[in-house]
Amino acid sequence: MRYLSTRGHPDRQPFCGILLEGLAPDGGLYLPEHYPQVDAVTLARWRGLPYAELAFEILSLYIDDIPAADLRAICERTYTVEAFGTEAIAPLRKLEDGLYLLGLSNGPTLAFKDMAMQLLGNLFEYELGRRGEELNILGATSGDTGSAAEYAMRGKKGVRVFMTSPHGRMSPFQQAQMFSLQDANIHNLAIRGVFDDCQDIVKAVSGDLEFKRRYRIGTVNSINWARLVAQVVYYFAGYFQATRSDSERVSFAVPSGNFGNICAGHVARQMGLPIDRLVLATNENDVLDEFFRTGVYRVRAAADTHETSSPSMDISKASNFERFVFDLLGRDATRTRALFAEELPRNGRFDLSRDPAFARAGTQFGFSSGKSTHADRLATIRDAWQRLQVMVDTHTADGIRVARQHVQPGVPMIVLETALPVKFAATIVEALGREPERPARFEGLESLPRRVTVLPADAGEVKSYIAAHCA
């Protein structure tokens, strides 16, 4: 399997050639040259496999430069009851007729990002050890990616993490999870701005090829293909739990701001997993919902990015969206480059509404969308608790709210859980008048000493910090 850039760079790389990279040299994102096809015989063989074994089977289709025995060992070391709390790893529960919740938040940091990040940490350590090299990871987080990355990489040999986050814009629990880590290889950089400023910094530093090579800069954001392909696994796991035969179809509702989580669903569907609809749920920052409704992709300035009660989706530039548009346009790298490298930076938007390709987003690729507001998520949290005895976080509530608008008879709708409610306690208290339960290991988290450096929204300042701490 070889990987190409969405913007047409001529190089074709093996998996381990892109594992430690972020963007491609031309600023594009990596995708496989083709999506491996899964037939009915393979689906039948995979049904009932333990999660770690299912992960090995799926990842093996994309990774052919790690010996099978080593890859299997990495999967088995990653997906354990000790790390994720249950044998199922990603357990499915029925909420009501036709509506299900896939539990993805039982990992070390109580968010779905652990599902991929724990694997990524083990892959990084394996490959760096094999090469005898070190890696400096530069990331951006709107809340959960940062803590998941730091918990996955803390203490890992040959790895430093430099994680940017929007200063003061994460929940108190999310901030405490990250900033309380005292490991020498973890560096938290609070950026005076919004998440998109952090993401722009990561892309700017990754785009400086000389700096990137000199300081061995890699990324754990969902622009990293390894993270995205790891997320493909739980779509298959959810499907097998929700169905009895491989002739059945399901739909997935996915809270998504950066388009990484639902992009993994797109990949699973392209592989042949019987997915009917991929329902994208946004909050008030509805850039992606606007595109799927109108064909216009219009990014917002920092001042126009709303600060909401589902803050991990307070994003107006979806960094993974380029992967989907590349597929939507028939893998036309020239057009993709023109849209994302030229038109979007120049105009802050592009319009595919009159392009025949746009209709295929729904008809061929199965996408639908909707948005949820603060009032919506409060009502959904109350309903889930009072009527179903299930407490959900704010982002999952957005997913449930939009999912209910798209349920079809006879097609299970699976909502992907985003995080446990304790990460957004203030809104839970507002909705229910009570604090969410907190795992014992996180008692007193907010009172722990913190290590964090506040910096302006400037890529040069971040590069100077990295250089000073890699001497």
Side-chain angles (χ1 to χ4, degrees):
M1 176 65 76
R2 291 293 182 269
Y3 293 84
L4 50 74
S5 168
T6 53
R7 298 187 185 180
H9 193 278
D11 287 354
R12 297 293 184 268
Q13 297 278 0
F15 176 82
C16 288
I18 67 168
L19 171 63
L20 305 178
E21 302 291 330
L23 299 173
D26 59 358
L29 278 69
Y30 286 112
L31 275 174
E33 288 185 317
H34 68 276
Y35 296 117
Q37 296 303 292
V38 177
D39 58 19
V41 173
T42 304
L43 283 175
R45 181 168 59 86
W46 287 355
R47 184 176 287 273
L49 288 179
Y51 194 95
E53 185 66 19
L54 179 62
F56 167 73
E57 292 285 346
I58 294 170
L59 294 173
S60 293
L61 300 177
Y62 292 94
I63 304 172
D64 54 15
D65 51 350
I66 294 177
D70 291 354
L71 183 59
R72 186 188 299 274
I74 289 169
C75 291
E76 290 176 349
R77 188 162 68 250
T78 299
Y79 298 111
T80 65
V81 175
E82 292 73 25
F84 290 95
T86 67
E87 289 282 353
I89 307 300
L92 188 75
R93 68 188 298 178
K94 183 177 180 178
L95 294 179
E96 58 196 28
D97 287 347
L99 190 65
Y100 297 80
L101 184 64
L102 189 63
L104 302 176
S105 303
N106 301 310
T109 71
L110 315 181
F112 82 95
K113 303 291 177 72
D114 291 323
M115 298 295 295
M117 207 68 76
Q118 288 291 305
L119 178 76
L120 199 60
N122 287 327
L123 284 170
F124 276 3
E125 188 172 50
Y126 171 87
E127 183 61 16
L128 290 169
R130 195 160 67 161
R131 296 183 184 193
E133 296 178 357
E134 293 187 348
L135 183 69
N136 294 305
I137 293 169
L138 176 62
T141 185
S142 56
D144 293 326
T145 293
S147 57
E150 292 177 355
Y151 277 67
M153 305 297 168
R154 60 188 306 197
K156 287 282 191 290
K157 295 177 181 177
V159 180
R160 296 185 192 90
V161 177
F162 298 88
M163 187 59 62
T164 64
S165 61
H167 183 46
R169 286 209 173 216
M170 297 187 297
S171 76
F173 188 96
Q174 288 174 314
Q175 293 179 55
Q177 264 192 318
M178 291 173 56
F179 302 162
S180 64
L181 291 180
Q182 302 296 317
D183 305 74
N185 69 325
I186 303 298
H187 299 267
N188 281 298
L189 307 178
I191 303 299
R192 295 191 186 97
V194 297
F195 169 75
D196 295 303
D197 295 314
C198 302
Q199 193 160 254
D200 287 344
I201 288 170
V202 172
K203 289 185 175 181
V205 176
S206 296
D208 183 341
L209 297 184
E210 181 182 351
F211 185 88
K212 180 180 175 181
R213 289 171 182 146
R214 180 177 179 184
Y215 289 102
R216 294 289 298 144
I217 302 295
T219 182
V220 291
N221 276 48
S222 50
I223 58 175
N224 185 304
W225 167 255
R227 227 192 85 185
L228 195 146
V229 75
Q231 293 174 277
V232 172
V233 178
Y234 53 69
Y235 281 87
F236 282 83
Y239 172 80
F240 289 134
Q241 292 177 80
T243 60
R244 293 184 178 180
S245 77
D246 303 321
S247 63
E248 297 177 66
R249 301 181 71 79
V250 304
S251 293
F252 287 91
V254 188
S256 189
N258 218 15
F259 207 79
N261 202 6
I262 202 164
C263 191
H266 164 67
V267 172
R269 194 175 188 274
Q270 293 304 104
M271 291 172 67
L273 186 65
I275 296 174
D276 186 46
R277 307 300 296 173
L278 287 165
V279 180
L280 182 144
T282 72
N283 62 13
E284 293 89 336
N285 296 294
D286 59 347
V287 173
L288 292 170
D289 177 46
E290 181 179 58
F291 174 81
F292 285 105
R293 285 187 294 102
T294 69
V296 176
Y297 181 63
R298 180 174 59 93
V299 301
R300 315 289 200 267
D304 298 319
T305 301
H306 302 289
E307 187 172 356
T308 77
S309 52
S310 49
S312 297
M313 297 195 296
D314 291 352
I315 297 169
S316 70
K317 298 176 186 175
S319 66
N320 266 285
F321 190 53
E322 183 171 332
R323 284 188 166 113
F324 172 68
V325 172
F326 177 69
D327 283 345
L328 182 67
L329 298 177
R331 297 203 143 200
D332 186 331
T334 301
R335 288 198 65 197
T336 304
R337 182 175 63 252
L339 289 176
F340 284 90
E342 299 167 20
E343 191 168 342
L344 195 60
R346 182 173 62 245
N347 301 324
R349 56 179 278 158
F350 60 74
D351 185 351
L352 295 181
S353 61
R354 295 182 180 86
D355 193 309
F358 172 63
R360 297 204 301 268
T363 58
Q364 179 180 335
F365 294 102
F367 275 88
S368 302
S369 69
K371 81 170 187 177
S372 173
T373 66
H374 181 68
D376 293 330
R377 65 186 66 99
L378 289 179
T380 303
I381 291 167
R382 287 192 195 104
D383 175 72
W385 179 246
Q386 294 169 0
R387 189 167 60 85
L388 306 174
Q389 291 76 56
V390 176
M391 191 180 293
V392 297
D393 86 289
T394 52
H395 308 76
T396 306
D398 290 334
I400 292 172
R401 158 79 178 181
V402 175
R404 284 178 169 146
Q405 301 167 3
H406 295 272
V407 172
Q408 295 174 308
V411 181
M413 174 68 76
I414 302 172
V415 179
L416 298 193
E417 183 185 59
T418 302
L420 291 194
V422 67
K423 302 196 81 168
F424 307 96
T427 307
I428 302 301
V429 171
E430 183 181 356
L432 303 180
R434 57 160 288 174
E435 290 278 346
E437 291 185 4
R438 174 180 294 231
R441 68 183 185 275
F442 291 113
E443 289 295 340
L445 181 70
E446 290 88 343
S447 62
L448 294 176
R450 300 187 174 197
R451 290 177 64 239
V452 58
T453 300
V454 179
L455 292 176
D458 181 272
E461 293 275 355
V462 172
K463 286 197 281 190
S464 295
Y465 183 95
I466 292 171
H469 288 83
C470 291

